[in-house]
Structures are given as structure tokens and as C-alpha cells.
Amino acid sequence: MKTPNNGPSEVLLAAQGIRKSYGHLEILRGIDLNLGTGEHVSIIGPSGSGKSTLIRCLNFLEMPDGGSIDFGGKRIWDEKSPIKEADSRAHRTKVGMVFQSFNLFATHTALQNVSIAQVHTLGRSRKAADDRSRELLDQVGLSEHLDKHPGQLSGGQQQRVAIARALAMDPEIMLFDEPTSAIDPEMRVEVLRVMKDLANGGMTMISVTHEFNFARDAADRVLFLAGGLIVEEGTPDEIFSAPKQERTQQFVNAVSGIV
Amino acid sequence: MDYIVESLTRLLPGLLTSVQMTVVSVAIGMVLGFLGGLLLNNRHRGVRYPVIALVEVLRGFPALLTLYFVYFGLPKLDVVLDGFVAVVIAFGLTVAAYTAEIFRAAIASVPRGQREAALSLGLRRNKTIRLIVLPHVLRVAVPPLLGIVVIAFQGTSLAISIGQLELTGVALNFGMSTFYLLPEILMAGALYLIVTTLLTWVEIVSERRAQRLSGGSYQGSGRKRRRGVPKISTEALRTTG
């Protein structure tokens, strides 16, 4: 279990009734998700259950079809008032996103990947940005690879660069979209360690993951998503050891390899 | 030996003309080609289809025919052009048609995930194009573009047909009026060979650099493509050129 947060924390993110369809296919059928400052929620569930779509809606990489999103106590989006380009850009700078396929800029070095948005979005000087990037890349154990291009790094290393790149924006919340699914099993450890350190350090986080051990150790709360709905929600212990819903039990057993 | 020196003093100015024609027509062609590539990636069919038609026509026409059209055809419409200008316009259009396809494929090859990453970092669209898309496009497009430059360079020999004397023209002119046709042709050929070999070498080096891009987070883009990724058959071009 993660080190608990001190005292009750204010709600940072409140998503209500999030719906999203592609054509006739309903991906999200009304999801409520509240997140306190410093809280870490892990989302688990089968493929196609809408996990990725949900967190992509939270920084408007996908536009939800219905519902509302409050951030820092302010309504930033609901179905009646579409968000302006400038507002969604401002929101995205507060939200760090880590993708399954890393999505590093292939023509840029590790250091440049981490610095580029500090300079061009936040307006930091190149030197201040590079200093901060070195610090972050050191923190994720990559200080020896500053000048390498993504193609020269392993999946685990690329993902750690991607995490540093997101952290460089000093986000208020980090979103992880299956960050270890595209990485060789033995290379996942380092990425998971970095994420665990972040969670224990009080970073507000949502992680979509199939790594149950990680969720057990590092999450405050676990959501089980299936068919576009939250089937069950609880502490890691409740979900992994004593799930109430049959569907949750099936899924947890299947992923843990219990027949 | 004397002949070689004497021949070189004659041919080198011709080579210079060839190089000038190549540089100007390639410059015109690439600017138009890049615009074409952007338009070919446009979401709207109404924009894409006319460009596709234009590209197909210009690729379908032999370069010689396009040159004749510009030099002999346009004067009928009261547009009279100087020989050199006609050459660079005609070849510029042909180069544009071929490079449009290269740029289209290169722009489409920027992985969608990289644009999403740029979005999620709050980068503005113009900065995303300048800082993320353009470097990628250039890295991918340079090797096939250099292939086009080689062909354009050799293609300038067609200029003789409207009396513009570049390397081939100078060599043939002298060779036919003396008994030195064969050695003169060989000398000119050697000069062409030297330049194209240099260009090909640069092409190979840049190709290696481009391939490094695909080692990492490079995945196919999610967008539809009009055709496969950079499908540039240089053999096909050589026969038209």
C-alpha cells in the first residue's frame, strides 16, 4: 500500500457522467471520477473497456460527447460549452501525459525532448530548461543518455524520458496510459519504480495499467472498468483480494493467471 | 593530355550551365512540391483531387514535351520566354510533380503519436509543425529528393533541343563539327558521372540518417495514405527524364 496522504485533500479533478461514442459504438457510458490532490487512482479493465479513452478525454485528446469536467474547482468543460483551443492548451500544460508508445520526438535527443516544451510552451530560457531537464533525467536514472536519440534507447529508457518530459511542465496531475504495455517485461521495473516514487512523493496520478502488483503497492484507489462503465471501485485490497462483483473477480483471476 | 585540358576548358562552362539549370529548377520544383505535398494531405477531397490531377499530368508528360510546351507552345498565347527561363520553368514543374508525392508521403509518415505528444505538452500548432513535423519530414524526404536532383541534373541535357547549350550541348556541338565526337562524348559523360556519383554518395549517407528515425518510437501513422510510403521509383523516372 502506498504511503497515505495527510488528512483530507481537496478535489483536484471531478469528471461527471463522461460519455463518448465512435459512430454507433459506445465506448464510455457515463463515468464519474473524482480525484483528490495527491491521490493516485489506478484503472484496470479488459481491452476495449474504455480505459484509454477515459484518460484521453481528461486532457481533451478526445472530446467527450457528454458529461462535465471540473479541474481545480473550476468547470472547464461540459457538453453545453465546448472548450476553446487556447483553454484546452492551457489545461494540457497542467496535465502530464505518458503514452503507451512513448511518442518521443524521434529527431530530437533525450535532453531536447524534455526541454522543448519548457522553452516553447512555458517560455523558460534554454539554459533554465536544460538544467531542469538534466535534473529530471537524472532522477529517472538516465543522466548518461542525455544526447541519445529515441532510436538508440530501449523501450524502458524511452518511457522514462517521456515521463521526465511530462514532469518538466510541472504538471498538477499525471496521466499514464498503459505505460509499460509496450516494454519488455524485465525493462518495466525501472519505469514502475519511477512511477511508484512519484506516487509516494505526493503526485496526483491516474494510471491505466495491467500491473496489479504496482497498483497494489502504489495506488490509493482502484477502478475496474468494463463495457464503458465503472463496475467496481475500492482500495487495492478490496479489488484484488475481495472483489464484490463477479465480473471483477473473473478479470482479476484471469490476469493473475488463476484458472 | 593536351586534348583533355583543352576539352575541359570547353566543357566546364557547359557543366556550370547544367548545374545552374539544375539548381534553379530544383529550387522552384521543391517549393512547389512542398506546397503540393501539404495540399495532398488536406482533409478535403476538393483540395486534394485537383492537385492529384495536376501531378499526374505533369508526371505523365515526358519532360521534353513539357519543355516544348513552355518554349514553343506558350508563345502562341503571347508568353515568350528566354531559353534558360523556359528550361527552368519546364523542369521546375516536372520536379514539383515528382517531389509533391515525396513530400506528401514524408508528411504522412510523421507518427500521429508525436503530434499528440506535442498537443499534450501544450505546443501551438505552428510550433509543432516547425519543431516536430518539419525536421521529421526533411529527414525522411531528403534521400528520395536527392534522387530527383540526380535525375534533374541529367535531364538538363534535354535543353539542347531548344538550343540551350549546357554540358551535352557544348560537347555535341564541338564533337559533330570536328573529328572528336567520341572522346568529347566520353569527356562529358565523365563529368556527369563525377557529379552524379557525388550526389548519390550524399544520398546514401542521408538515407542512413533517415533510417535511424525508424529505430525508435516510429510507427506507421494512423492516417490514410493515397499510396504506400515513399514509393519513388527512380528507374521509372530515368526513362522519362
Side-chain angles (χ1 to χ4, degrees):
Chain A
M1 185 75 184
K2 179 193 157 187
T3 337
N5 309 303
N6 318 326
S9 55
E10 75 219 65
V11 173
L12 178 65
L13 176 87
Q16 305 294 331
I18 299 296
R19 283 183 288 109
K20 174 77 185 171
S21 305
Y22 295 111
H24 294 295
L25 190 63
E26 268 194 301
I27 303 290
L28 300 174
R29 302 196 288 163
I31 303 262
D32 297 339
L33 171 64
N34 291 321
L35 199 69
T37 305
E39 198 182 12
H40 173 204
V41 169
S42 277
I43 303 176
I44 61 169
S47 305
S49 57
K51 309 179 298 280
S52 292
T53 308
L54 174 61
I55 67 168
R56 287 166 63 85
C57 281
L58 298 178
N59 74 344
F60 306 114
L61 284 180
E62 309 278 350
M63 271 299 162
D65 296 329
S68 67
I69 297 175
D70 294 356
F71 190 82
K74 265 193 231 128
R75 171 68 42 104
I76 57 167
W77 177 87
D78 62 35
E79 52 196 282
K80 285 182 218 97
S81 45
I83 192 163
K84 286 193 213 96
E85 164 113 19
D87 292 338
S88 65
R89 201 167 49 233
H91 175 64
R92 287 189 188 116
T93 62
K94 298 179 204 158
V95 179
M97 180 87 178
V98 176
F99 300 87
Q100 181 176 352
S101 49
F102 329 132
N103 297 350
L104 292 181
F105 305 130
T107 49
H108 296 66
T109 64
L111 187 75
Q112 289 166 342
N113 263 279
V114 183
S115 288
I116 196 164
Q118 295 183 62
V119 174
H120 292 280
T121 301
L122 298 182
R124 286 182 190 152
S125 72
R126 164 107 17 218
K127 175 160 186 322
D130 282 350
D131 286 348
R132 176 87 176 113
S133 302
R134 281 198 194 86
E135 195 181 308
L136 284 164
L137 284 166
D138 185 48
Q139 195 181 318
V140 297
L142 291 174
S143 40
E144 320 223 308
H145 303 286
L146 300 179
D147 297 322
K148 291 205 177 137
H149 283 82
Q152 299 166 291
L153 298 170
S154 73
Q157 291 169 330
Q158 288 190 56
Q159 193 61 298
R160 281 181 282 152
V161 175
I163 294 173
R165 178 174 69 176
L167 289 173
M169 306 298 287
D170 297 324
E172 292 175 38
I173 177 174
M174 288 282 287
L175 306 177
F176 293 88
D177 186 4
E178 297 201 32
T180 56
S181 297
I183 303 174
D184 286 342
E186 49 178 347
M187 303 293 184
R188 291 178 185 170
V189 161
E190 288 295 302
V191 174
L192 292 169
R193 190 186 54 78
V194 167
M195 290 170 63
K196 207 181 282 186
D197 287 351
L198 279 176
N200 283 328
M203 175 62 78
T204 313
M205 291 172 41
I206 301 178
S207 58
V208 171
T209 186
H210 292 296
E211 308 276 349
F212 287 1
N213 286 330
F214 163 74
R216 208 184 256 280
D217 289 353
D220 296 297
R221 216 156 24 108
V222 176
L223 258 58
F224 173 60
L225 216 71
L229 288 168
I230 295 174
V231 174
E232 193 168 347
E233 180 174 354
T235 65
D237 258 359
E238 286 167 351
I239 298 291
F240 294 121
S241 305
K244 294 188 193 76
Q245 303 289 330
E246 198 184 335
R247 183 74 188 88
T248 315
Q249 194 162 9
Q250 268 176 9
F251 179 74
V252 169
N253 286 349
V255 175
S256 323
I258 301 166
V259 185
Chain B
M1 198 62 212
D2 282 352
Y3 167 72
I4 292 181
V5 174
E6 184 211 330
S7 169
L8 279 179
T9 48
R10 193 167 42 238
L11 293 180
L12 282 177
L15 177 65
L16 183 66
T17 311
S18 294
V19 170
Q20 285 168 338
M21 285 175 175
T22 310
V23 170
V24 179
S25 59
V26 163
I28 295 172
M30 293 216 179
V31 171
L32 291 176
F34 184 72
L35 287 175
L38 282 175
L39 294 175
L40 287 174
N41 272 298
N42 194 288
R43 237 171 305 168
H44 305 287
R45 271 182 232 167
V47 176
R48 246 170 24 230
Y49 283 8
V51 183
I52 291 174
L54 196 59
V55 165
E56 292 304 331
V57 167
L58 283 169
R59 294 212 295 190
F61 269 44
L64 183 59
L65 213 60
T66 309
L67 178 58
Y68 272 39
F69 173 79
V70 172
Y71 190 65
F72 295 119
L74 289 185
K76 309 269 182 230
L77 306 169
D78 286 334
V79 182
V80 182
L81 296 169
D82 167 64
F84 184 87
V85 176
V87 167
V88 296
I89 288 180
F91 291 172
L93 287 173
T94 305
V95 168
Y98 282 104
T99 53
E101 184 58 22
I102 294 172
F103 281 118
R104 180 204 62 78
I107 292 166
S109 81
V110 180
R112 195 167 149 207
Q114 291 192 25
R115 291 177 216 236
E116 286 192 345
L119 268 184
S120 67
L121 290 166
L123 285 171
R124 285 165 188 277
R125 194 173 309 171
N126 58 352
K127 289 198 169 173
T128 303
I129 290 184
R130 184 161 61 83
L131 300 167
I132 311 299
V133 177
L134 206 58
H136 204 285
V137 165
L138 289 181
R139 206 69 75 79
V140 175
V142 161
L145 288 178
L146 283 168
I148 299 285
V149 174
V150 170
I151 294 153
F153 172 64
Q154 293 174 333
T156 55
S157 60
L158 292 174
I160 191 182
S161 61
I162 61 163
Q164 287 297 305
L165 294 188
E166 37 61 71
L167 180 50
T168 301
V170 174
L172 292 184
N173 230 15
F174 178 79
M176 300 231 214
S177 53
T178 60
F179 294 107
Y180 288 102
L181 182 57
L182 183 63
E184 199 75 354
I185 286 176
L186 290 175
M187 282 298 294
L191 290 177
Y192 276 114
L193 189 65
I194 290 169
V195 175
T196 52
T197 308
L198 280 174
L199 283 170
T200 309
W201 179 71
V202 179
E203 185 186 341
I204 290 168
V205 172
S206 63
E207 200 153 333
R208 273 196 213 124
R209 278 172 60 101
Q211 267 162 6
R212 263 190 244 148
L213 283 185
S214 51
S217 60
Y218 179 92
Q219 334 134 284
S221 92
R223 307 233 160 177
K224 277 185 238 155
R225 288 176 186 154
R226 193 159 72 88
R227 280 186 205 142
V229 203
K231 186 189 127 204
I232 291 90
S233 149
T234 31
E235 274 63 42
L237 292 180
R238 271 193 184 115
T239 51
T240 12

